[in-house]
Amino acid sequence: MFCSNCGTEIADKALICYKCGRATFEPLRKPPAPRATLGPLLSVLALMALTLAALFLGATDTDRVPTWVPWVIGGVAFLLLLWRVLRLRR
């Protein structure tokens, strides 16, 4: 038998070519295709959440916390949690 990649003569029962390392057979199962990631988007959302949390925590000393800040922090946390749950369901 000859290697389909480099043409070296190899044993009939060989699993790989000893010269080039290529497999002599097709795999039974192919690995899944990599998914597109939302890494940059998630990083931006996390940065926004941390910034809003810092604003909220900084304003608690002066008792001037805008009413929208806790809602936005909670909303971002809810969206991140929802995104994570929906991603795990796939």
Side-chain angles (χ1 to χ4, degrees):
M1 174 166 125
F2 293 95
C3 176
S4 61
N5 187 42
C6 66
T8 304
E9 187 174 359
I10 54 177
D12 289 337
K13 293 183 181 181
L15 298 176
I16 61 170
C17 174
Y18 67 88
K19 188 171 183 181
C20 68
R22 185 163 186 177
T24 59
F25 60 93
E26 290 295 321
L28 297 176
R29 296 184 187 137
K30 294 188 180 189
R35 293 185 187 179
T37 60
L38 294 176
L41 178 63
L42 186 59
S43 299
V44 169
L45 288 176
L47 184 62
M48 287 174 45
L50 288 174
T51 304
L52 288 174
L55 289 172
F56 173 72
L57 292 174
T60 56
D61 290 340
T62 59
D63 240 1
R64 292 181 294 136
V65 179
T67 56
W68 59 269
V69 173
W71 287 101
V72 171
I73 293 172
V76 169
F78 176 75
L79 289 175
L80 288 173
L81 181 64
L82 182 66
W83 174 75
R84 182 70 177 162
V85 168
L86 291 176
R87 188 169 174 214
L88 287 175
R89 285 185 149 190
R90 288 189 210 170

